[in-house]
Amino acid sequence: MALSSSSFKAIVTLAFLVLFMGSSSAQLSATFYSKSCPNLFTTVNSVVKSAISKEARMGASLLRLFFHDCFVNGCDGSILLDDTSTFTGEKRAAPNFNSVRGFDVVDNIKSAVEQACPNVVSCADILAITARDSVVTLGGPSWNVPLGRRDARTASQAAANSSIPPPTSNLNALISSFSAVGLSTKDMVALSGSHTIGQARCTNFRARIYNETNNLDSSLAQTRRRNCPSTAGSGDNNLAPLDLQTPTAFDNNYYKNLANQRGLLHSDQQLFNGGSTDSLVRTYSTGQSTFTSDFVAAMIKMGNISPLTGSSGEIRKNCRRRN
């Protein structure tokens, strides 16, 4: 039976509304600041490049800030809020304390952006752009960052403790943690590729290098033990590269390492340990272009987790405190 013109329009309108309500990305746009802050991207990029030129590890740290922000009640800049006598933020949560870094760089970016266009750009959006620029600066892919997020006035240390997967996670726990924020197993494996850059602290890989001989390359274990004593409390903050080959280049060596049982963290090697994600790791280890395209798609998807838009939240003048 043919639909009338009005019925057809009603169905299309309803489908559009359902799509809009079911997708936070519909509220974000890569051109959100094109008129209100036309120099935004060059302003952010300049500070990011300067910071990474001084310390290559900073690129990984800035990318990680975005992950740890989005996994706790959405991409809302809540991770940037400092504790006060009357406010407890996320910085002292177990996954963040003495671990996440780069806050000073974000402060510098925010200051530069405020000079270019005061009271316009959110700290949450700055984190999203900074993550992309960090990847690009270290040789990775670029993408159009959907923008229009606003900043949270609240934070949750409890949610940070429960939502961010620890390096002790097994495969099922990783899949569950990512699924809880709307990310698929494929997204999880692709986003884990961010460990192709950056460093880990001894306290996060000690148990693996001393206890997990069944799926750990013996030469890597010996190398890492030199800088990570077996006794807890000794050398806890000593660092080692997550990717021994190219720790400051965004490439697919992370997956090649996993295929050779050279993942540094327990949670890393879980992606290639006889489980359901082995085939994806093999695919990414031999196809860098497949990895980068899947990584970009997953980053955009992660950036769409529960953003504050419209009149929700605020545009912070200082990323460390509420207005």
Side-chain angles (χ1 to χ4, degrees):
M1 187 175 111
L3 286 172
S4 69
S5 167
S6 58
S7 297
F8 179 76
K9 286 179 181 176
I11 291 170
V12 170
T13 301
L14 179 63
F16 175 80
L17 286 172
V18 170
L19 178 66
F20 183 84
M21 287 186 292
S23 172
S24 59
S25 64
Q27 302 172 37
L28 303 179
S29 165
T31 59
F32 188 82
Y33 298 109
S34 59
K35 292 182 179 177
S36 59
C37 193
N39 295 323
L40 173 61
F41 294 123
T42 54
T43 302
V44 174
N45 187 250
S46 174
V47 182
V48 170
K49 280 186 172 178
S50 176
I52 294 175
S53 70
K54 292 172 185 169
E55 183 197 9
R57 180 190 174 206
M58 187 53 71
S61 298
L62 294 171
L63 175 59
R64 187 163 175 251
L65 268 181
F66 188 49
F67 279 87
H68 282 224
D69 183 42
C70 290
F71 264 71
V72 184
N73 297 327
C75 310
D76 60 3
S78 58
I79 195 172
L80 303 173
L81 291 168
D82 283 343
D83 289 359
T84 70
S85 58
T86 58
F87 176 85
T88 301
E90 298 164 16
K91 289 184 177 180
R92 295 181 70 85
N96 296 332
F97 188 55
N98 286 333
S99 180
V100 290
R101 58 198 294 274
F103 298 109
D104 291 346
V105 176
V106 175
D107 290 341
N108 292 339
I109 295 169
K110 179 62 171 173
S111 294
V113 170
E114 283 297 300
Q115 279 194 316
C117 36
N119 305 318
V120 169
V121 182
S122 68
C123 299
D125 276 345
I126 283 174
L127 282 182
I129 301 167
T130 298
R132 187 270 311 272
D133 287 0
S134 295
V135 169
V136 173
T137 301
L138 293 174
S142 185
W143 61 93
N144 292 325
V145 181
L147 300 167
R149 303 167 191 83
R150 288 167 65 84
D151 296 321
R153 296 188 180 99
T154 60
S156 175
Q157 188 176 104
N161 280 323
S162 63
S163 301
I164 300 169
T168 54
S169 300
N170 63 25
L171 182 58
N172 286 338
L174 289 169
I175 291 172
S176 177
S177 292
F178 279 73
S179 176
V181 293
L183 296 173
S184 68
T185 299
K186 181 180 177 182
D187 296 328
M188 183 270 290
V189 177
L191 290 170
S192 296
S194 61
H195 283 183
T196 187
I197 52 176
Q199 310 262 334
R201 294 182 299 146
C202 165
T203 186
N204 286 328
F205 60 82
R206 177 182 283 122
R208 173 154 167 75
I209 62 173
Y210 287 101
N211 303 333
E212 298 182 20
T213 55
N214 62 322
N215 65 355
L216 175 61
D217 176 72
S218 59
S219 64
L220 178 65
Q222 290 173 358
T223 300
R224 293 283 72 92
R225 287 172 185 171
R226 293 183 200 131
N227 196 40
C228 183
S230 59
T231 307
S234 175
D236 283 2
N237 292 321
N238 291 351
L239 298 172
L242 289 161
D243 168 12
L244 190 62
Q245 278 80 11
T246 52
T248 60
F250 197 94
D251 53 30
N252 67 334
N253 276 337
Y254 168 78
Y255 300 102
K256 294 177 182 178
N257 290 335
L258 297 186
N260 290 303
Q261 298 190 326
R262 292 171 71 83
L264 183 61
L265 303 178
H266 173 82
S267 54
D268 286 331
Q269 197 59 55
Q270 284 289 296
L271 303 186
F272 191 85
N273 196 40
S276 61
T277 54
D278 283 16
S279 59
L280 259 179
V281 170
R282 286 195 191 95
T283 297
Y284 292 159
S285 71
T286 57
Q288 179 155 330
S289 61
T290 303
F291 157 54
T292 54
S293 63
D294 286 357
F295 176 82
V296 164
M299 282 293 290
I300 293 171
K301 192 173 173 183
M302 185 181 75
N304 286 331
I305 299 172
S306 304
L308 298 173
T309 59
S311 59
S312 300
E314 64 184 14
I315 304 297
R316 274 184 233 144
K317 296 175 184 176
N318 181 329
C319 290
R320 292 177 180 264
R321 59 176 181 262
R322 298 169 291 179
N323 290 344

